[in-house]
């Protein structure tokens, strides 16, 4: 271990460690159930909020709102990361699940476009922003908390449960979808039953809020030093740039002569806003921050291709009906979830770096044949086997994504360091995965999307090669 690593205040008993991991995991599961419920039910509620256009156009509009939720994630990562490094991991975890509860409840009760017109998609956007703030803060706080509480010997294994619960949340969302498909039918789902999963999520979030208030604080937590304190200049600059982004974005959706300039200026102001958020972290920890962004770009893009986008790909491209697509996605997610502890355990044995190299090299080489094979699959079994092959490779990254990031930073800035670079890369690549894929399909160039994914995975491979093996160079306290 490096000389400047934290000094642990004491050892955890096996029961205390298990309680901490399970407590953090339960909240993570509900957070991600709520987040993925939006993607799982998009096919049914998109016409309620975006009634004009064909199915692909409706999905593009719903995906755009999904992306705006991603835009909020770096803000949540920044705010909650700072909060977790000052007030503690437990306090940030409780705050993030409270925001998610609010977002899910708003979606559940919002009237449709026919009832309140443009207010419907506007309120949907507000709800997704709340959920984006929540998930942005959740990732850094939970990844940091679980990695710090895991212990050195099995840190990869225990930390892999962050993605176990992340995938389980998505799996439960799909399970609710399949149950509703088989009980109330497609017509009722489009009419009103799509609201049920969001009500379930809001209720579960209340329960988890209570659970998280009873968690022990991380053994490695210590309040952030004054060196990491907020700068008034940074806050002012970020606020001004965010306001300019909103103004330009409003102009960009009009039909007037300022629409195009508004879109370009909105994109520019948004990039400057994000740069303002992360600049202090990059100045203090440049190598770590940039490597995390590179790894996250490839890892998150591929994750969303095989999970949230895959259900739509199976319907729109491979020709399966919605029920079959949901079942294939559910079964592939079960396999993906079960791969996580195995890959995490392997990282404790062989190290993190070899696993990352395998994930990104294998992912870059396999994405074209896998996606092409799925598009031409004549059976559920063939499509499922191909998806399982893809997620097995991807598991070499996802299982250790949290712990690799956490091991790179000292405790006083760990939650922010884990959350913010990850969230920014997620905006650019994970959050745009569906929009880019659907745009390629709309232009009848769908296979070019596979090359795009392979190229981003190649960037991740370079970062994995440059990265030190964090299992042997960890800054997390040993206990």
């Amino acid at each position: 271990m490096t000389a400047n690593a934290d000094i642990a205040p004491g050892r955890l008993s096996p029961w205390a460690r298990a309680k901490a991991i399970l407590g953090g995991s339960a909240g993570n599961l509900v957070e991600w159930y709520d987040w993925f419920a939006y993607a799982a039910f998009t096919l049914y509620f998109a016409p309620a909020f975006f009634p004009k256009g064909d199915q692909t156009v409706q999905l593009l509009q719903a995906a755009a709102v999904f992306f705006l939720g991603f835009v909020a994630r770096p803000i949540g990562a920044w705010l909650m990361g700072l909060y977790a490094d000052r007030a503690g991991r437990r306090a940030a975890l409780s705050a993030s699940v409270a925001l998610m509860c609010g977002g899910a409840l708003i979606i559940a009760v919002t009237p449709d476009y026919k009832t309140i017109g443009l207010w419907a998609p506007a309120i949907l956007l507000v709800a997704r922003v709340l959920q984006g703030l929540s998930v942005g803060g959740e990732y850094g706080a939970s990844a940091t908390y679980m990695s710090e509480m895991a212990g050195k010997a099995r840190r990869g294994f225990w930390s892999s449960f962050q993605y176990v619960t992340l995938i389980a949340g998505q799996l439960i969302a799909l399970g609710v979808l399949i149950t509703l498909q088989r009980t109330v039918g497609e017509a009722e789902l489009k009419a009103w039953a799509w609201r049920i999963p969001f009500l379930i999520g809001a209720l579960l979030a209340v329960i988890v809020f209570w659970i998280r208030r009873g968690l022990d604080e991380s053994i490695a937590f210590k309040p952030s030093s004054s060196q990491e304190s907020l700068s008034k200049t940074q806050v002012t600059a970020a606020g001004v740039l965010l306001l300019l982004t909103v103004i330009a974005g409003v102009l960009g959706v009009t039909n007037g002569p300022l629409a195009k300039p508004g879109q370009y200026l909105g994109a520019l102001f948004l990039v400057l806003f994000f740069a303002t958020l992360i600049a202090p972290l990059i100045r203090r920890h440049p190598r770590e921050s940039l490597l995390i962004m590179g790894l996250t770009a490839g890892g998150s893009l591929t994750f969303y291709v095989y999970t949230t986008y895959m259900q739509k790909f199976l319907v729109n491209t491979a020709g399966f009906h919605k029920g079959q697509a949901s079942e294939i996605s559910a079964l592939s997610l079960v396999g993906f979830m079960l791969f996580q502890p195995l890959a995490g355990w392997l990282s404790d044995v062989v190290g993190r770096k070899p696993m990352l190299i395998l994930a990104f090299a294998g992912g870059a080489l396999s994405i074209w044949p896998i996606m092409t094979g799925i598009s031409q699959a004549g059976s559920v079994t063939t499509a499922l086997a191909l998806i399982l092959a893809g997620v097995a490779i991807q598991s070499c990254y996802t299982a250790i994504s949290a712990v690799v990031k956490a091991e790179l930073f000292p405790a006083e800035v760990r939650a922010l360091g884990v959350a913010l670079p990850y969230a920014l890369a997620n905006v650019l690549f994970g959050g745009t995965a569906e929009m880019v894929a659907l745009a390629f399909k709309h232009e009848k160039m769908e296979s070019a999307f596979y090359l795009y994914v392979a190229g981003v995975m190649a960037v991740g491979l370079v970062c994995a090669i440059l990265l030190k093996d964090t299992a042997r160079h960890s800054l997390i306290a040993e206990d």
Side-chain angles (χ1 to χ4, degrees), residues 40-285:
F41 283 83
T42 297
L43 289 167
Y44 295 101
F45 73 71
F49 290 95
F50 310 102
K52 297 179 181 180
D54 61 25
Q55 185 183 54
T56 300
V57 172
Q58 289 176 344
L59 290 176
L60 275 168
Q61 291 171 322
V65 175
F66 190 72
F67 169 68
L68 289 173
F70 272 86
V71 171
R73 285 169 69 166
I75 304 174
W78 181 57
L79 294 173
M80 290 291 185
L82 291 168
Y83 184 54
D85 287 330
R86 285 161 175 74
R89 320 310 189 202
R90 184 180 64 176
L93 289 171
S94 298
S96 69
V97 81
L99 283 173
M100 183 60 74
C101 176
L105 186 60
I106 290 171
I107 295 175
V109 302
T110 298
D112 61 17
Y113 185 92
K114 292 180 181 178
T115 304
I116 58 173
L118 290 173
W119 283 107
I123 294 172
L124 177 67
L125 175 58
V126 170
R128 287 304 289 176
V129 168
L130 285 177
Q131 291 187 318
L133 292 171
S134 170
V135 173
E138 168 70 18
Y139 181 86
S142 65
T144 299
Y145 182 80
M146 294 176 70
S147 297
E148 289 176 344
M149 301 294 273
K152 178 184 179 182
R154 297 180 181 87
R155 183 165 284 131
F157 172 77
W158 287 116
S159 297
S160 72
F161 281 86
Q162 192 203 31
Y163 257 88
V164 169
T165 51
L166 188 156
I167 297 167
Q170 187 172 0
L171 187 60
I172 293 171
L174 270 177
V176 172
L177 173 60
I178 293 170
T179 300
L180 291 174
Q181 285 173 332
R182 292 186 172 181
T183 54
V184 303
E186 185 163 335
E188 296 300 313
L189 267 171
K190 287 183 176 179
W192 61 270
W194 59 264
R195 300 178 185 275
I196 293 174
F198 298 104
L199 285 172
I200 293 172
L203 292 173
L204 290 175
V206 172
I207 296 171
V208 170
F209 178 83
W210 175 76
I211 293 173
R212 282 188 160 176
R213 296 302 298 171
L215 289 177
D216 294 326
E217 184 54 85
S218 166
I219 59 173
F221 168 70
K222 53 187 177 183
S224 178
S225 68
S226 59
Q227 292 177 323
E228 303 293 344
S229 60
L230 276 173
S231 160
K232 290 183 179 179
T233 302
Q234 183 192 16
V235 173
T236 302
V240 170
L241 288 168
L242 181 59
L243 178 61
L244 291 173
T245 301
V246 171
I247 293 172
V250 171
L251 291 175
V253 297
T254 63
N255 294 321
L258 296 178
K260 279 292 183 183
Q263 292 170 7
Y264 291 130
L265 286 173
L268 174 62
F269 291 141
L270 184 63
V271 170
L272 292 174
F273 169 70
F274 288 152
T276 301
L277 294 187
I278 200 171
L281 185 66
I282 289 180
R283 281 197 298 268
R284 295 185 59 80
H285 305 278

Side-chain angles (χ1 to χ4, degrees), residues 441-466:
K441 179 175 178 58
H442 194 65
E443 297 297 326
K444 304 187 186 304
M445 299 171 54
E446 193 162 22
S447 59
F449 176 67
Y450 315 154
L451 293 176
Y452 164 72
V453 176
V456 179
M457 288 293 283
V459 173
L461 175 60
V462 172
C463 293
I465 293 171
L466 294 174

